[in-house]
Amino acid sequence: MTEWFTYFGIANPAEALALTKTLLRIFVIVVIAYLLNRLSKRALNALRDSLSNQASSHLEETKRINTVTMVLRYIITTVIIAITIVEVLHELGISIAPVLAAAGVVGLAIGFGAQSLVKDYFTGFFLLLENQIRKDDVIEVAGKSGLVEEITLRYIKMRDDDGNVHYVPNGQILTVTNRSRDFSYAGIEITLPDQENSSKVIAVVQQTADQLAQDAAFKNKILAPAEVTDIGKLTDDSLVIRCRFKVLPLEQAAVKREYFKRIKQAFAQQKVVFHLQA
């Protein structure tokens, strides 16, 4: 054993013992940090599952619970890593005070360069506080749109329809367009020749919409009876009728697709000339 210590330049057994104790303490610190990280993850998962079960019938609350849990996980992990680094430096005999003092001087020098980072965290805090964005929302921010897969105090990670992943720093977000908040509208415009009987067409449109709302596969997706309105003439030889459904978030496409199919069949039976527009 003495030969091993001599190989590493340690001739004094007392120094070898001190080094061994230091290494053991560092090992214990790292293990404790790892266990705390794992324990916090399990505790947060259990808390999330418990709250989600209580709010199982409220999709918006479930989204908020998942988002807050994710951010708490991020913050707790960051704090554990920071404390672990401080304790390891302490065990190695590196004083933290000079490091903090140097960090203050360096921080003053790079303060202007770090403004964007501070802005990211500041904006991210208010995005979460005001519940503007949640995990699994479909949003549009900073010219990018997609499904939110991860949100932290610094950035938002989202995936678009093509599978591309976008990381948007929170500081770049000026306007948030949330496409999956509470409810959505599925709107259809029907253009008809001016000679068509608009009252007859409106009756067909309303009847078809009511049948769709009563269908077992769609009645839970449609939140309110369809609104059918006669917009009036679009040009000198055509007029427009609009049908709008209030639906669950992200169900617009499914409802409009089914309604297109049904209204085409209804118009074909009534021999109505038309043009559909989403």
Side-chain angles (χ1 to χ4, degrees), residues 20 124 152 212:
T20 302
T152 70
L212 177 61

Side-chain angles (χ1 to χ4, degrees), residues 2 27 32 41 81 89 93 97 136 150 153 159 167 169 191 211 248 256 266 274:
T2 304
F27 176 76
I32 292 175
K41 182 178 179 180
I81 291 175
L89 290 176
D136 296 327
E150 183 180 357
L153 291 177
R159 188 180 301 272
Y167 292 86
T191 304
Q211 291 174 351
L248 289 175
K256 286 197 291 187
F274 66 96

Side-chain angles (χ1 to χ4, degrees), residues 27-39:
F27 176 76
V28 171
I29 291 171
V30 173
V31 170
I32 292 175
Y34 173 79
L35 293 177
L36 285 175
N37 194 40
R38 296 280 296 179
L39 181 63

